[in-house]
Amino acid sequence: MLSADPGPPAPVAVPPTLTSLLAMTENTDGSDVEYAIGGQGLTGVERDMAAELLAEDAMQIRCGKSPVLARWRTRRRGGPPETGASGAAVKAYAGIGFGLPDAPANDDHLQGHVAELLWNRLIQERLVCRDRRRLVHAHSVKPDPLEPGGDGLVVYELDGGTLVFRLWEIKKHESRASRVSATIGRASKQLSSRGQEYLAKLAGPETVEQAGPLGEFYANIVELWLDGSDRAGAGVSVGTSAQYAPARPQAFGSIATAFPHFRQAGQRESIIVAVPDFPEFATRVREIVWSGL
């Protein structure tokens, strides 16, 4: 006797992106700076999902291809804790930037690192930009937010094969004494005054790691920045609490002021992630990282 037709297979659930969880919305106000804001409605299960994405990213950045990453994941799924040298190795990786339960990282540093992780994931998910730039290579943020150097460097390709880049400064904002526009202004000045130094540190190793046109592009990236080339660009990203989300495009004016020579569409950008109670959200990311110890 023939069995009944089971029908088509059930669709495979696709994990949500951070972009969708945060409901990132791009500006349409004709501002001199292209910006996107999101996160104000992040609550409940979706809030935990976003925190889990960032914790996973954090450990991938730290561990690379080390077997420590698999051990951390196994422990997170309810497996037994590692002991001896294996357990110490998991703690060594997980503690970078987060600290450990008996010696947690400074809250300011933790929040700054989570702001960087938010930017890192959003940039990786944005495969095509509004001006049709296509993502080629995005540098991961540093495992330790206290390490000196630039925060973010992203290379894109335009129609026709021309490579362009955006250099980013990433901050956290959690102050009742000042508006988020002040933090954007501080980041813009820092990027303007030290951008060439950041690029030199980030681009030099890529001239060895990357072959062909991409490697050649990295070899010229500092000069492109200093010349104010159309192939260069700047961005400022801020992680903050929902009540500090900017309500007017004027909040981004300092980016245009710091980079008046970047006049093409998309050469000046900003990302604002403003979640309810950003400090608590950062703490939740750390809790998830520690759950794999």
Side-chain angles (χ1 to χ4, degrees):
M1 181 177 179
L2 295 176
S3 59
D5 184 357
V12 177
V14 178
T17 63
L18 182 64
T19 304
S20 63
L21 289 171
L22 296 175
M24 298 299 297
T25 302
E26 297 177 341
N27 72 301
T28 57
D29 52 27
S31 170
D32 291 335
V33 177
E34 289 188 0
Y35 61 89
I37 302 177
Q40 298 96 317
L42 190 68
T43 58
V45 174
E46 292 187 340
R47 183 181 179 88
D48 236 34
M49 292 172 69
E52 288 178 2
L53 287 175
L54 299 190
E56 175 72 20
D57 285 350
M59 291 303 292
Q60 287 187 19
I61 291 168
R62 282 155 178 72
C63 296
K65 295 181 179 179
S66 168
V68 168
L69 181 59
R71 296 170 190 159
W72 176 81
R73 287 170 172 164
T74 297
R75 175 60 176 156
R76 278 221 63 222
R77 291 193 294 263
E82 296 286 338
T83 59
S86 294
V90 174
K91 290 181 179 179
Y93 281 99
I96 300 172
F98 292 104
L100 295 171
D102 58 350
N106 176 283
D107 285 345
D108 284 343
H109 298 159
L110 170 66
Q111 292 163 27
H113 185 42
V114 170
E116 292 180 350
L117 290 169
L118 285 163
W119 172 87
N120 184 77
R121 165 65 70 149
L122 291 172
I123 286 293
Q124 296 280 1
E125 291 179 354
R126 191 177 67 171
L127 301 180
V128 181
C129 302
R130 276 187 270 184
D131 59 0
R132 298 180 65 183
R133 280 174 285 143
R134 297 178 300 279
L135 180 64
V136 172
H137 183 52
H139 291 241
S140 293
V141 294
K142 303 180 292 290
D144 188 342
L146 299 183
E147 292 179 11
D151 291 337
L153 175 59
V154 193
V155 177
Y156 298 94
E157 184 179 46
L158 301 177
D159 291 340
T162 299
L163 295 175
V164 301
F165 74 91
R166 300 293 180 263
L167 180 64
W168 287 77
E169 182 66 25
I170 307 165
K171 300 288 187 188
K172 67 96 177 178
H173 175 86
E174 195 61 35
S175 172
R176 293 185 177 88
S178 63
R179 295 182 178 179
V180 72
S181 57
T183 297
I184 295 172
R186 182 162 51 91
S188 301
K189 290 179 181 178
Q190 185 175 337
L191 204 55
S192 176
S193 64
R194 302 186 64 184
Q196 60 269 27
E197 173 190 337
Y198 295 159
L199 284 169
K201 291 179 178 179
L202 289 166
E206 297 297 329
T207 62
V208 178
E209 294 294 328
Q210 306 294 342
L214 185 55
E216 294 172 5
F217 179 66
Y218 275 109
N220 296 298
I221 209 168
V222 175
E223 285 85 351
L224 291 170
W225 176 266
L226 291 170
D227 287 341
S229 170
D230 288 350
R231 299 174 71 185
V236 171
S237 184
V238 179
T240 188
S241 290
Q243 67 263 35
Y244 301 126
R248 303 169 61 196
Q250 286 83 351
F252 304 93
S254 58
I255 304 175
T257 300
F259 300 99
H261 46 287
F262 290 160
R263 297 188 178 91
Q264 302 298 318
Q267 277 193 285
R268 299 178 293 206
E269 298 184 272
S270 186
I271 293 174
I272 306 295
V273 178
V275 302
D277 198 343
F278 180 70
E280 192 279 332
F281 178 74
T283 298
R284 181 58 185 144
V285 174
R286 181 173 62 189
E287 288 173 350
I288 294 172
V289 170
W290 285 352
S291 71
L293 298 178

